[in-house]
Amino acid sequence: MSNDAWLHALRSDPSPVFNEQLRARLRTQEPVPLEAAALSRAKDRGDWFRRALIPAAAVITVALVVSVPSVRASAAQFLSLFRVVNFVPVAVDSNRLDRLQTDNLEIGALIGEHVQVVQDPGPPVTVTSVADAAAAAGMTLAVPQWLPANTAVLETAVMGERVVRVTANSQRLQQVMDALGINDLRVPAGLDGQVVNVRVPPVAMIRYGHGNRRTRLFQARTPHLTLPQSVDVQALGEIGLRILGLPAGEAKQFARALDWNTTLILPVPPAARSFRQVNINGHLGVHIEHQPPGESPTHVLLWPAGDRVFALVSIANVEDVIAMANTVR
Amino acid sequence: MAIEQVLPARLARWVAAEPDWEQVYAEQLPRVLNFFRYRLVDTADVEDLTARTFEKAWRARHGYRRDVAGFATWLLMIARNVAIDHLRARERYELLDVATAVPSLDKSPEQQAVQHSDAQRLAALLATLPPRQRELIAMKYGADMTNRAIARATGLTESNVGTILHRAVEELRGRWRGTKS
């Protein structure tokens, strides 16, 4: 016992009765959605760059091609993605991020100068049922046919369609490449000024509760990207892979092997504990596990199916999460 | 056009994973409860204030931003405000409570506390500290927070927190040992 043990003399465990009474009381109190939404909106500005690095968020947003988070932007924004058939996870080299930060290269801001929001649906809107969510999203919602015991639907919400237009800027991309010492590749000729249109169809969310654990299922039709045929997508893809940290030879080989029209590179943030490819009901998906400091391991499952992209985000055990994913119909 | 006007920020927040509330509750309940034990003179309200803290946090948990503070720090910031409100409301009565709950300082702490348990002795000594020192002691030894987390919760610098805590502990230690006159 340390010399300061006497300073802990007042500490004691909560009484079991108090513990249970308070726990029971909290269980009856769900958060106030409107209050939360208001808080969320109020805080929605200012430090986007930092928040974009939140592992799960960054993973999902990139996966849905709706994010422009830091270095990943170069890979995600400039790739020709017409339909997501495959997710391919690539670990982000944290040294690359550090180097860019050292050079004050906030790529998000740089690219942001060239992003035009054509259609902004605003924040997600809570609806009263899965049927209402389906109506708002304009599609029949797929749901897990198997759920853990004592599961209830706690919330359904929909975020409307968003359309953005990104104008490519060769100079910015070259700056990033220079900062990262990527000297053996060149920005494809004719890229500058080319316009990439990104359309992200409505995203529906169903939040399930199993006791105090939560699992959320997100689904949307595949995002659409259009860009001029003249753009060398493979060359851009190789640059993107190098920016993420792949060695030169590997990036070149990888870039040649991938079908860039159907493959979504999924940058896995350094904070992720693990990631692997998984088979979800016959489709190749990705399972990422990360654990924010002081919190439980969180599982993120992403998979495409037909014309849709699904994501399950959960703190339940991984077997349950995969079982749910496998029965989403 | 600012980058945050593009959709990812909202969707990112929407999709960001929730903590395991069951685990959070189990881990944080003793810390919050003990924060109040150290912070308040009158221990009769400790459970009530702990419950109030958790209810506030529970209602607002979707507004919690993990990029700004760890959950424990966020929760303790709520507890701190609950304590401040409570102490303000009870200011008039607390003087009476102190008078009855805390032994007079006319005698040495050793003399006063000779028949009391260590917990009672410590409570009596804590009551003699200025509010700021006591608050920081409560965060450090009640809630088991690091100096950095305390700095984040109070707005003080980390070195300032260390200095205040050092003085407070030395003060308490001296009295505990009966070496302080």
Side-chain angles (χ1 to χ4, degrees):
Chain A
M1 190 173 284
S2 73
N3 290 337
D4 284 343
W6 57 277
L7 276 165
H8 298 276
L10 263 179
R11 294 183 67 157
S12 63
D13 289 333
S15 76
V17 172
F18 171 64
N19 187 341
E20 281 312 310
Q21 283 178 343
L22 179 56
R23 189 192 299 265
R25 206 187 312 168
L26 292 176
R27 277 184 179 144
T28 65
Q29 297 175 9
E30 273 305 304
V32 183
L34 292 178
E35 180 184 295
L39 273 169
S40 181
R41 279 195 298 276
K43 294 167 180 168
D44 210 8
R45 298 176 185 280
D47 59 349
W48 178 85
F49 183 76
R50 286 182 57 209
R51 279 185 281 112
L53 294 177
I54 297 169
V59 166
I60 303 285
T61 50
V62 172
L64 295 178
V65 200
V66 293
S67 177
V68 205
S70 68
V71 291
R72 294 152 212 143
S74 297
Q77 285 275 325
F78 291 102
L79 297 186
S80 174
L81 300 170
F82 300 107
R83 181 164 174 263
V84 179
V85 176
N86 297 304
F87 286 116
V88 175
V90 173
V92 176
D93 181 349
S94 58
N95 293 328
R96 316 289 271 184
L97 297 173
D98 295 342
R99 201 184 311 176
L100 288 171
Q101 282 185 338
T102 304
D103 289 356
N104 289 322
L105 265 179
E106 292 192 1
I107 304 172
L110 296 177
I111 292 176
E113 297 168 12
H114 306 282
V115 174
Q116 179 191 1
V117 179
V118 178
Q119 185 177 328
D120 181 0
V125 175
T126 299
V127 293
T128 54
S129 67
V130 173
D132 287 350
M139 60 182 176
T140 305
L141 296 188
V143 294
Q145 303 302 303
W146 178 88
L147 292 166
N150 302 317
T151 295
V153 174
L154 300 180
E155 182 187 1
T156 48
V158 175
M159 180 183 273
E161 179 170 296
R162 178 168 290 232
V163 180
V164 296
R165 184 175 296 149
V166 183
T167 305
N169 184 325
S170 301
Q171 194 183 346
R172 300 299 194 202
L173 186 54
Q174 188 64 56
Q175 279 182 313
V176 173
M177 292 167 67
D178 292 344
L180 295 175
I182 303 172
N183 304 318
D184 56 321
L185 297 178
R186 303 182 76 84
V187 175
L191 178 68
D192 201 45
Q194 298 285 5
V195 173
V196 181
N197 289 300
V198 183
R199 186 174 74 82
V200 182
V203 181
M205 186 277 291
I206 305 172
R207 187 159 68 101
Y208 297 95
H210 343 270
N212 268 356
R213 295 178 183 273
R214 302 285 183 266
T215 300
R216 285 169 298 162
L217 171 67
F218 294 84
Q219 58 189 292
R221 288 202 174 91
T222 301
H224 294 270
L225 271 79
T226 56
L227 76 170
Q229 291 289 328
S230 57
V231 175
D232 185 345
V233 182
Q234 183 180 313
L236 271 178
E238 185 177 351
I239 292 171
L241 292 170
R242 292 286 296 280
I243 288 173
L244 293 177
L246 253 64
E250 206 175 318
K252 189 172 289 299
Q253 195 176 12
F254 210 9
R256 283 182 187 152
L258 290 179
D259 177 354
W260 290 101
N261 287 338
T262 58
T263 301
L264 182 60
I265 293 293
L266 191 60
V268 180
R273 284 174 61 176
S274 66
F275 66 93
R276 64 190 170 110
Q277 289 192 299
V278 288
N279 187 317
I280 302 294
N281 201 25
H283 304 281
L284 199 56
V286 179
H287 168 227
I288 297 167
E289 182 180 357
H290 75 102
Q291 185 167 20
E295 295 178 14
S296 301
T298 299
H299 303 283
V300 179
L301 268 184
L302 287 155
W303 75 100
D307 66 344
R308 295 200 193 175
V309 177
F310 294 90
L312 264 176
V313 182
S314 179
I315 52 173
N317 68 64
V318 65
E319 290 79 15
D320 283 354
V321 179
I322 290 178
M324 286 175 70
N326 270 315
T327 62
V328 169
R329 306 274 191 278
Chain B
M1 176 67 64
I3 193 69
E4 58 264 35
Q5 289 175 273
V6 189
L7 71 167
R10 285 195 183 117
L11 195 56
R13 179 189 306 287
W14 199 30
V15 176
E18 294 180 47
D20 181 341
W21 297 110
E22 189 69 30
Q23 182 177 313
V24 165
Y25 177 81
E27 288 172 354
Q28 301 302 326
L29 181 63
R31 301 180 71 228
V32 173
L33 190 85
N34 284 315
F35 166 76
F36 284 117
R37 277 196 215 284
Y38 278 72
R39 183 68 187 89
L40 303 176
V41 172
D42 183 359
T43 57
D45 297 316
V46 163
E47 288 190 351
D48 181 45
L49 296 178
T50 301
R52 202 179 301 171
T53 299
F54 270 88
E55 285 169 344
K56 277 175 178 266
W58 190 244
R59 283 195 300 271
R61 68 187 192 273
H62 284 344
Y64 156 60
R65 295 169 63 197
R66 69 179 72 195
D67 58 315
V68 171
F71 187 85
T73 305
W74 181 71
L75 192 62
L76 259 297
M77 287 164 82
I78 295 174
R80 181 179 181 236
N81 289 333
V82 167
I84 290 169
D85 290 346
H86 173 77
L87 290 171
R88 280 188 187 139
R90 289 188 51 111
E91 207 168 20
R92 187 180 302 169
Y93 303 103
E94 190 170 305
L95 294 174
L96 297 173
D97 288 342
V98 171
T100 54
V102 179
S104 163
L105 293 177
D106 291 337
K107 298 176 182 177
S108 74
E110 287 69 28
Q111 288 172 316
Q112 296 165 15
V114 69
Q115 323 84 320
H116 295 288
S117 68
D118 283 355
Q120 288 170 311
R121 285 178 69 196
L122 182 57
L125 293 179
L126 286 173
T128 68
L129 292 178
R132 167 152 289 183
Q133 285 190 353
R134 182 164 190 171
E135 180 178 59
L136 265 56
I137 288 283
M139 289 180 165
K140 181 77 176 180
Y141 296 97
D144 208 20
M145 293 169 76
T146 62
N147 288 7
R148 179 170 295 181
I150 293 171
R152 213 179 297 147
T154 58
L156 297 169
T157 65
E158 197 174 340
S159 66
N160 203 357
V161 168
T163 303
I164 294 170
L165 279 171
H166 178 74
R167 284 187 188 144
V169 169
E170 285 306 304
E171 181 90 3
L172 290 171
R173 181 179 286 121
R175 293 188 178 190
W176 184 268
R177 289 174 178 162
T179 55
K180 191 170 175 75
S181 58

Short mmCIF file of all heavy atoms in Angstrom, two decimals, chain A residues 141-167:
data_model
loop_
_atom_site.label_atom_id
_atom_site.label_comp_id
_atom_site.label_asym_id
_atom_site.label_seq_id
_atom_site.Cartn_x
_atom_site.Cartn_y
_atom_site.Cartn_z
N LEU A 141 -36.92 -1.53 -46.82
CA LEU A 141 -35.73 -1.71 -45.99
C LEU A 141 -35.50 -3.18 -45.69
O LEU A 141 -36.43 -3.92 -45.35
CB LEU A 141 -35.87 -0.95 -44.67
CG LEU A 141 -35.96 0.58 -44.79
CD1 LEU A 141 -35.88 1.22 -43.41
CD2 LEU A 141 -34.85 1.13 -45.68
N ALA A 142 -34.25 -3.57 -45.82
CA ALA A 142 -33.87 -4.92 -45.41
C ALA A 142 -33.59 -4.90 -43.91
O ALA A 142 -33.04 -3.92 -43.40
CB ALA A 142 -32.62 -5.35 -46.17
N VAL A 143 -34.00 -5.96 -43.25
CA VAL A 143 -33.79 -6.02 -41.79
C VAL A 143 -33.25 -7.40 -41.41
O VAL A 143 -33.47 -8.38 -42.13
CB VAL A 143 -35.10 -5.75 -41.01
CG1 VAL A 143 -35.58 -4.33 -41.22
CG2 VAL A 143 -36.18 -6.74 -41.41
N PRO A 144 -32.56 -7.50 -40.28
CA PRO A 144 -32.06 -8.81 -39.86
C PRO A 144 -33.22 -9.73 -39.51
O PRO A 144 -34.13 -9.34 -38.78
CB PRO A 144 -31.22 -8.49 -38.61
CG PRO A 144 -31.04 -7.01 -38.60
CD PRO A 144 -32.18 -6.43 -39.35
N GLN A 145 -33.15 -10.95 -40.04
CA GLN A 145 -34.19 -11.93 -39.72
C GLN A 145 -33.89 -12.59 -38.38
O GLN A 145 -34.76 -13.23 -37.79
CB GLN A 145 -34.29 -12.97 -40.82
CG GLN A 145 -34.55 -12.38 -42.19
CD GLN A 145 -35.84 -11.56 -42.23
OE1 GLN A 145 -36.91 -12.07 -41.91
NE2 GLN A 145 -35.74 -10.29 -42.60
N TRP A 146 -32.65 -12.50 -37.95
CA TRP A 146 -32.29 -13.01 -36.63
C TRP A 146 -31.80 -11.84 -35.77
O TRP A 146 -31.02 -11.00 -36.23
CB TRP A 146 -31.18 -14.06 -36.71
CG TRP A 146 -30.77 -14.54 -35.33
CD1 TRP A 146 -31.33 -15.55 -34.61
CD2 TRP A 146 -29.74 -13.97 -34.50
NE1 TRP A 146 -30.72 -15.65 -33.38
CE2 TRP A 146 -29.74 -14.70 -33.28
CE3 TRP A 146 -28.83 -12.93 -34.64
CZ2 TRP A 146 -28.85 -14.42 -32.23
CZ3 TRP A 146 -27.95 -12.64 -33.61
CH2 TRP A 146 -27.97 -13.40 -32.41
N LEU A 147 -32.29 -11.81 -34.55
CA LEU A 147 -31.86 -10.77 -33.62
C LEU A 147 -31.54 -11.40 -32.27
O LEU A 147 -32.14 -12.42 -31.90
CB LEU A 147 -32.97 -9.72 -33.42
CG LEU A 147 -33.29 -8.85 -34.64
CD1 LEU A 147 -34.62 -8.12 -34.43
CD2 LEU A 147 -32.17 -7.85 -34.89
N PRO A 148 -30.59 -10.85 -31.52
CA PRO A 148 -30.32 -11.38 -30.18
C PRO A 148 -31.59 -11.31 -29.32
O PRO A 148 -32.51 -10.54 -29.61
CB PRO A 148 -29.24 -10.45 -29.63
CG PRO A 148 -28.62 -9.83 -30.84
CD PRO A 148 -29.71 -9.73 -31.86
N ALA A 149 -31.60 -12.10 -28.26
CA ALA A 149 -32.78 -12.13 -27.38
C ALA A 149 -33.07 -10.73 -26.82
O ALA A 149 -32.16 -9.94 -26.60
CB ALA A 149 -32.52 -13.11 -26.23
N ASN A 150 -34.34 -10.50 -26.63
CA ASN A 150 -34.81 -9.24 -26.01
C ASN A 150 -34.39 -8.00 -26.81
O ASN A 150 -34.03 -6.98 -26.23
CB ASN A 150 -34.29 -9.12 -24.58
CG ASN A 150 -34.72 -10.29 -23.72
OD1 ASN A 150 -35.88 -10.71 -23.78
ND2 ASN A 150 -33.80 -10.83 -22.94
N THR A 151 -34.42 -8.14 -28.11
CA THR A 151 -34.07 -6.99 -28.95
C THR A 151 -35.33 -6.19 -29.28
O THR A 151 -36.38 -6.76 -29.55
CB THR A 151 -33.42 -7.47 -30.26
OG1 THR A 151 -32.18 -8.10 -29.93
CG2 THR A 151 -33.14 -6.31 -31.20
N ALA A 152 -35.17 -4.89 -29.26
CA ALA A 152 -36.28 -4.02 -29.64
C ALA A 152 -35.74 -2.94 -30.57
O ALA A 152 -34.58 -2.56 -30.49
CB ALA A 152 -36.89 -3.38 -28.41
N VAL A 153 -36.60 -2.46 -31.46
CA VAL A 153 -36.22 -1.32 -32.30
C VAL A 153 -36.41 -0.05 -31.48
O VAL A 153 -37.50 0.23 -30.99
CB VAL A 153 -37.10 -1.25 -33.58
CG1 VAL A 153 -36.79 0.02 -34.37
CG2 VAL A 153 -36.84 -2.47 -34.46
N LEU A 154 -35.33 0.69 -31.30
CA LEU A 154 -35.38 1.89 -30.47
C LEU A 154 -35.61 3.15 -31.29
O LEU A 154 -36.18 4.12 -30.79
CB LEU A 154 -34.08 2.05 -29.68
CG LEU A 154 -33.71 0.93 -28.73
CD1 LEU A 154 -32.39 1.24 -28.04
CD2 LEU A 154 -34.80 0.73 -27.69
N GLU A 155 -35.12 3.12 -32.51
CA GLU A 155 -35.20 4.36 -33.28
C GLU A 155 -35.06 4.03 -34.76
O GLU A 155 -34.34 3.10 -35.15
CB GLU A 155 -34.06 5.30 -32.85
CG GLU A 155 -34.06 6.65 -33.54
CD GLU A 155 -32.81 7.47 -33.21
OE1 GLU A 155 -31.94 6.98 -32.46
OE2 GLU A 155 -32.72 8.60 -33.72
N THR A 156 -35.75 4.79 -35.56
CA THR A 156 -35.54 4.71 -37.01
C THR A 156 -35.37 6.13 -37.52
O THR A 156 -36.05 7.05 -37.05
CB THR A 156 -36.74 4.05 -37.72
OG1 THR A 156 -37.94 4.64 -37.25
CG2 THR A 156 -36.78 2.56 -37.47
N ALA A 157 -34.46 6.30 -38.43
CA ALA A 157 -34.19 7.65 -38.92
C ALA A 157 -33.70 7.57 -40.36
O ALA A 157 -33.21 6.54 -40.81
CB ALA A 157 -33.16 8.35 -38.05
N VAL A 158 -33.83 8.68 -41.04
CA VAL A 158 -33.42 8.73 -42.44
C VAL A 158 -32.70 10.04 -42.71
O VAL A 158 -33.12 11.10 -42.23
CB VAL A 158 -34.65 8.63 -43.38
CG1 VAL A 158 -34.23 8.81 -44.84
CG2 VAL A 158 -35.35 7.28 -43.20
N MET A 159 -31.61 9.93 -43.42
CA MET A 159 -30.94 11.13 -43.92
C MET A 159 -31.18 11.18 -45.42
O MET A 159 -30.95 10.20 -46.13
CB MET A 159 -29.43 11.08 -43.62
CG MET A 159 -28.68 12.31 -44.11
SD MET A 159 -26.90 12.20 -43.81
CE MET A 159 -26.84 12.85 -42.15
N GLY A 160 -31.62 12.31 -45.88
CA GLY A 160 -32.01 12.43 -47.29
C GLY A 160 -30.84 12.39 -48.25
O GLY A 160 -29.67 12.33 -47.85
N GLU A 161 -31.18 12.44 -49.51
CA GLU A 161 -30.15 12.34 -50.54
C GLU A 161 -29.27 13.59 -50.57
O GLU A 161 -29.74 14.70 -50.37
CB GLU A 161 -30.82 12.16 -51.91
CG GLU A 161 -29.82 12.08 -53.05
CD GLU A 161 -30.50 11.65 -54.35
OE1 GLU A 161 -31.01 10.53 -54.40
OE2 GLU A 161 -30.53 12.45 -55.29
N ARG A 162 -28.01 13.37 -50.82
CA ARG A 162 -27.09 14.49 -50.93
C ARG A 162 -26.32 14.38 -52.24
O ARG A 162 -25.90 13.30 -52.64
CB ARG A 162 -26.12 14.52 -49.76
CG ARG A 162 -25.09 15.66 -49.86
CD ARG A 162 -24.35 15.84 -48.59
NE ARG A 162 -25.22 16.38 -47.56
CZ ARG A 162 -24.92 17.45 -46.83
NH1 ARG A 162 -23.79 18.09 -47.03
NH2 ARG A 162 -25.73 17.87 -45.91
N VAL A 163 -26.15 15.52 -52.84
CA VAL A 163 -25.40 15.55 -54.09
C VAL A 163 -24.30 16.61 -53.96
O VAL A 163 -24.57 17.74 -53.54
CB VAL A 163 -26.32 15.91 -55.28
CG1 VAL A 163 -25.52 15.95 -56.58
CG2 VAL A 163 -27.46 14.90 -55.39
N VAL A 164 -23.10 16.22 -54.23
CA VAL A 164 -22.01 17.18 -54.22
C VAL A 164 -21.24 17.09 -55.53
O VAL A 164 -21.26 16.06 -56.22
CB VAL A 164 -21.03 16.95 -53.04
CG1 VAL A 164 -21.72 17.15 -51.71
CG2 VAL A 164 -20.40 15.57 -53.11
N ARG A 165 -20.59 18.18 -55.85
CA ARG A 165 -19.79 18.25 -57.07
C ARG A 165 -18.39 18.66 -56.67
O ARG A 165 -18.19 19.69 -56.04
CB ARG A 165 -20.43 19.26 -58.02
CG ARG A 165 -19.77 19.37 -59.37
CD ARG A 165 -20.56 20.32 -60.26
NE ARG A 165 -21.90 19.80 -60.53
CZ ARG A 165 -22.97 20.56 -60.72
NH1 ARG A 165 -22.87 21.87 -60.65
NH2 ARG A 165 -24.15 20.02 -60.99
N VAL A 166 -17.44 17.84 -57.02
CA VAL A 166 -16.05 18.12 -56.66
C VAL A 166 -15.27 18.43 -57.93
O VAL A 166 -15.33 17.67 -58.90
CB VAL A 166 -15.40 16.90 -55.96
CG1 VAL A 166 -13.98 17.23 -55.53
CG2 VAL A 166 -16.24 16.48 -54.75
N THR A 167 -14.57 19.53 -57.89
CA THR A 167 -13.74 19.89 -59.04
C THR A 167 -12.29 19.53 -58.74
O THR A 167 -11.72 20.00 -57.74
CB THR A 167 -13.86 21.40 -59.34
OG1 THR A 167 -15.24 21.72 -59.52
CG2 THR A 167 -13.08 21.76 -60.60
#
